[in-house]
């Protein structure tokens, strides 16, 4: 079926360490993936995206890796800061279903000073 | 450029009442969607639209209606509110599926709805 899920619901890291948030998806037809950050009381905020014809994409302090063989993607945050504390969602766009955006469960990242 | 605007920010309804959650975007986005987010959970798709006059059901459409008469607006109607519809509702918009488009959806700040 169509679902995007996360391996871990919570992640606690020390300030300055690198964070890795994982996500599994089940729809092999998915062509486009997005990571969102959601702070308390706010709407999701776009972080980085990746298309299925790529296996890695880098942004500012963030990197997304895509492994289509095992239907897995990850978000790496370098030198994690207290401001990175939030819930992170992976999401996929289903082009074969009108381009709708489907979210995974979410991982809460807590950064300890 | 206001982005995605949702009104109201907070609402309390009695069981059985109806209401409309408003969503407007000024980015000329074709795609618009409504999600609900329950505590400790992800966002679930209620309804979505790929353009004016076109709507479709998402994962949890029951109890909700939508229409898309203009590109800018995508209201969500609760026909007869139930306590199970207590949630935070998010509206989102995107340019849509095109070769040179940014596919990322932009989200509003949400409407917190309580049904008593």
């Amino acid at each position: 079926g169509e679902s995007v899920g996360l391996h871990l619901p919570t992640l606690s890291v020390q300030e300055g360490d690198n964070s890795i948030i994982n996500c599994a998806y089940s729809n092999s037809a998915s062509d486009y993936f997005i990571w969102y950050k959601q702070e308390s009381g706010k709407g999701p905020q776009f972080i980085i995206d990746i298309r299925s014809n790529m296996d890695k994409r880098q942004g500012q302090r963030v990197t997304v890796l895509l492994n289509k063989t095992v239907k897995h993607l990850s978000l790496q945050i370098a030198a994690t800061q207290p401001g990175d504390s939030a819930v992170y969602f992976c999401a996929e766009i289903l082009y074969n279903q009108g381009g709708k955006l489907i979210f995974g469960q979410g991982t809460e990242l807590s950064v300890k000073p | 450029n206001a982005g995605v605007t949702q009104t109201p920010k907070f609402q309390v309804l009695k069981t059985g009442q109806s209401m409309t959650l408003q969503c407007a975007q000024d980015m000329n986005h074709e795609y618009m969607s409504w999600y609900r987010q329950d505590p400790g959970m992800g966002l679930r798709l209620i309804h979505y639209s790929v353009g004016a006059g076109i709507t479709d059901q998402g994962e949890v459409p029951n109890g909700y209606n939508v229409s898309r008469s203009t590109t800018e607006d995508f209201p969500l109607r609760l026909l007869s509110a139930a306590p199970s519809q207590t949630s935070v509702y998010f509206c989102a918009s995107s340019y849509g599926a095109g070769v040179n488009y940014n596919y990322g959806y932009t989200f509003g700040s949400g409407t917190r709805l309580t049904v008593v």
Side-chain angles (χ1 to χ4, degrees):
Chain A
E2 54 184 70
S3 66
V4 181
L6 293 172
H7 291 307
L8 299 172
T10 60
L11 177 65
S12 182
V13 301
Q14 204 70 36
E15 181 178 0
D17 288 350
N18 296 333
S19 303
I20 300 177
I21 300 171
N22 296 304
C23 177
Y25 64 95
S26 60
N27 192 328
S28 58
S30 297
D31 189 52
Y32 182 68
F33 302 90
I34 307 172
W35 280 100
Y36 282 94
K37 173 186 181 182
Q38 187 178 29
E39 297 175 290
S40 181
K42 298 183 179 180
Q45 178 184 4
F46 176 94
I47 301 174
I48 192 169
D49 58 0
I50 188 168
R51 299 175 191 272
S52 64
N53 61 354
M54 305 169 67
D55 52 21
K56 180 179 181 179
R57 190 167 188 212
Q58 288 184 294
Q60 187 177 14
R61 283 202 306 118
V62 294
T63 300
V64 54
L65 301 178
L66 175 62
N67 185 330
K68 295 182 290 294
T69 302
V70 296
K71 298 179 186 174
H72 181 271
L73 69 159
S74 66
L75 176 70
Q76 300 178 0
I77 304 174
T80 313
Q81 303 169 359
D84 295 326
S85 294
V87 178
Y88 290 81
F89 294 97
C90 64
E92 61 181 330
I93 289 187
L94 305 178
Y95 292 147
N96 61 351
Q97 295 185 40
K100 62 185 181 183
L101 181 70
I102 300 296
F103 279 81
Q105 183 68 21
T107 292
E108 183 173 7
L109 176 65
S110 177
V111 182
K112 297 177 289 186
Chain B
N1 189 335
V4 179
T5 302
Q6 291 185 238
T7 56
K9 293 190 182 302
F10 302 93
Q11 183 71 48
V12 178
L13 289 179
K14 293 182 179 179
T15 298
Q17 285 185 315
S18 63
M19 79 158 293
T20 299
L21 307 185
Q22 302 292 343
C23 176
Q25 53 90 9
D26 60 358
M27 298 173 283
N28 201 30
H29 284 170
E30 288 295 321
Y31 285 24
M32 296 186 75
S33 301
W34 275 103
Y35 294 85
R36 61 175 289 172
Q37 185 175 30
D38 300 319
M41 296 185 66
L43 286 81
R44 291 184 290 171
L45 181 64
I46 304 172
H47 285 286
Y48 66 104
S49 169
V50 299
I54 306 170
T55 63
D56 207 344
Q57 295 181 347
E59 303 166 285
V60 288
N62 293 340
Y64 307 95
N65 273 359
V66 292
S67 60
R68 185 95 180 271
S69 57
T70 67
T71 299
E72 295 77 19
D73 300 296
F74 191 42
L76 177 72
R77 282 181 286 276
L78 280 69
L79 309 173
S80 178
S84 62
Q85 293 179 305
T86 294
S87 189
V88 180
Y89 291 83
F90 289 101
C91 179
S93 71
S94 168
Y95 280 114
V99 174
N100 296 316
Y101 287 158
N102 172 10
Y103 296 92
Y105 278 75
T106 300
F107 282 78
S109 57
T111 295
R112 187 174 297 273
L113 176 68
T114 302
V115 182
V116 298

